[in-house]
């Protein structure tokens, strides 16, 4: 369980993003959650200077496809960072475990092999309420956190 608000961070420690270009890949599955993550991510990037036209969003059907989408974006020389946003909510089958493990391994591999950072914004929750709590609810918005991480890693 998150112990802090995902939207809280030190403003003074976030670099200016006005000259940065970001790719965001968003899963269409659980759209009420992923849409809220995207809204938080975009607004935080813009809050730190990113121009709306420098935030490029692509959608993929589900969370597993985030790997392919992010990989395609890393091949584009124009991005300073790529952010993946998705939500997997545990069900009654082991599908949850396979998807979460696969996406985690795929994004980790991209981070180790690509020339730009790929920020992991996949919510993996037990139920819808936990996802809502982390997508603009009582625990803030993981999208905000991912935007800050992307800005910092782009400056790394």
């Amino acid at each position: 369980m998150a112990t802090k608000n995902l939207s809280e961070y030190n403003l003074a420690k976030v670099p200016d993003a006005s000259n940065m270009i970001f790719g965001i890949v968003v899963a269409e599955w659980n759209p009420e959650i992923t849409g809220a993550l995207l809204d938080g991510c975009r607004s935080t990037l813009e809050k730190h200077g990113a121009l709306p036209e420098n935030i490029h969003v692509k959608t993929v059907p589900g969370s597993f496809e985030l790997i392919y989408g992010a990989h395609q974006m890393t091949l584009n020389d124009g991005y300073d960072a790529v952010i993946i946003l998705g939500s997997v909510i545990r069900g009654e089958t082991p599908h949850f475990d396979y998807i979460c493990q696969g996406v985690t391994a795929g994004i980790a591999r991209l981070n180790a092999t690509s020339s730009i950072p790929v920020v992991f914004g996949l919510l993996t929750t037990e139920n819808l309420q936990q996802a809502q709590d982390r997508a603009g609810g009582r625990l803030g918005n993981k999208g905000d956190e991912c935007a800050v991480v992307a800005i910092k890693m782009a400056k790394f």
Side-chain angles (χ1 to χ4, degrees), residues 4-11 14 22 24 33-48 83-85 119-121 123 133-152:
K4 68 174 194 113
N5 187 313
L6 297 166
S7 298
E8 292 178 359
Y9 56 91
N10 185 339
L11 287 171
V14 181
F22 299 94
I24 304 174
I33 301 301
T34 60
L37 294 173
L38 176 60
D39 291 344
C41 187
R42 268 189 179 149
S43 66
T44 299
L45 289 171
E46 290 177 19
K47 176 178 168 180
H48 293 287
I83 302 163
I84 64 126
L85 299 172
V119 177
F120 188 82
L123 291 180
D133 288 347
R134 290 158 178 79
R138 69 180 184 87
L139 294 173
N141 191 318
K142 181 73 171 175
D144 295 337
E145 181 184 55
C146 290
V148 171
V149 169
I151 295 167
K152 287 181 173 185

Side-chain angles (χ1 to χ4, degrees), residues 4 12 26 28 39 53-54 57 73-74 113-114 118 127 130 156:
K4 68 174 194 113
V26 184
E28 294 172 344
D39 291 344
E53 60 267 24
N54 288 341
V57 178
M73 284 192 157
T74 65
T113 60
S114 72
V118 180
N127 55 56
Q130 288 179 350
F156 183 76

Side-chain angles (χ1 to χ4, degrees), residues 84-97:
I84 64 126
L85 299 172
S87 173
V88 183
I89 299 170
R90 187 177 297 279
E92 297 177 358
T93 69
H95 181 74
F96 172 90
D97 298 312

Side-chain angles (χ1 to χ4, degrees), residues 66-122:
L66 290 166
I67 303 164
Y68 177 82
H71 181 246
Q72 293 305 305
M73 284 192 157
T74 65
L75 299 175
N76 178 332
D77 293 352
Y79 295 115
D80 294 292
V82 172
I83 302 163
I84 64 126
L85 299 172
S87 173
V88 183
I89 299 170
R90 187 177 297 279
E92 297 177 358
T93 69
H95 181 74
F96 172 90
D97 298 312
Y98 301 133
I99 296 298
C100 294
Q101 290 171 4
V103 176
T104 300
I107 297 304
R109 186 174 57 257
L110 281 177
N111 263 314
T113 60
S114 72
S115 60
I116 62 171
V118 180
V119 177
F120 188 82
L122 180 70

